[in-house]
Amino acid sequence: MSTPPTATEAVFRQSLRDMLVLLGILTVVGVVVGYLVDGSAGVWGALIGVGIALIFSGTTVISVLRTARSAPTTMMAVIMGAWLGKLIVVIVVLVILKQFDFYNPQVLFLVSIAGVIGSAVLDARAVQRGRVGYFEG
């Protein structure tokens, strides 16, 4: 029998749902705008941008969800490790992509920034609206 989710888990599950909806909408809008701007290169730029936003934003939310019942030091260690890991992955992906020309880098940049900032705003909104007490017992 599973235990019911804590208030913290409920807040970050909502945040994860909101992020996925945002990235779904951003995928559709980004692909259409990318196609109108630069054809298939714009589409690839939008798709890669959404992928980067998903890696960057999703890693934090999933880290919190996986460690919500852990000690605060464990949670912070996992979040910091995930942050460092995703930063390295994004830098490596961008360095590798720089040598190719099948995508539009401006569309990639704008879509990934829109996704990361939008996800951060949704995370902040979920935390502000969530009813999490100082102590959960």
Side-chain angles (χ1 to χ4, degrees), residues 3-101:
T3 59
T6 64
T8 302
E9 289 171 328
V11 165
F12 281 95
R13 284 182 182 171
Q14 181 65 46
S15 180
L16 183 62
R17 283 190 294 271
D18 291 348
M19 180 196 65
L20 292 175
V21 168
L22 169 73
L23 292 180
I25 293 168
L26 188 60
T27 300
V28 172
V29 172
V31 164
V32 169
V33 171
Y35 181 77
L36 294 174
V37 167
D38 196 17
S40 66
V43 170
W44 279 110
L47 292 174
I48 296 168
V50 168
I52 288 172
L54 178 63
I55 290 169
F56 211 84
S57 301
T59 306
T60 303
V61 175
I62 291 172
S63 297
V64 171
L65 280 172
R66 300 283 295 170
T67 59
R69 296 176 191 257
S70 301
T73 53
T74 303
M75 178 185 269
M76 288 309 298
V78 169
I79 291 170
M80 289 303 295
W83 185 85
L84 183 61
K86 72 182 172 186
L87 195 61
I88 291 169
V89 167
V90 168
I91 289 170
V92 167
V93 166
L94 292 176
V95 166
I96 291 171
L97 282 174
K98 191 172 181 153
Q99 64 186 338
F100 297 107
D101 63 351

Side-chain angles (χ1 to χ4, degrees), residues 112-136:
S112 60
I113 291 298
V116 169
I117 292 173
S119 293
V121 168
L122 291 175
D123 289 348
R125 187 186 75 166
V127 169
Q128 286 177 342
R129 291 184 178 178
R131 297 185 181 263
V132 179
Y134 291 108
F135 301 100
E136 291 184 26

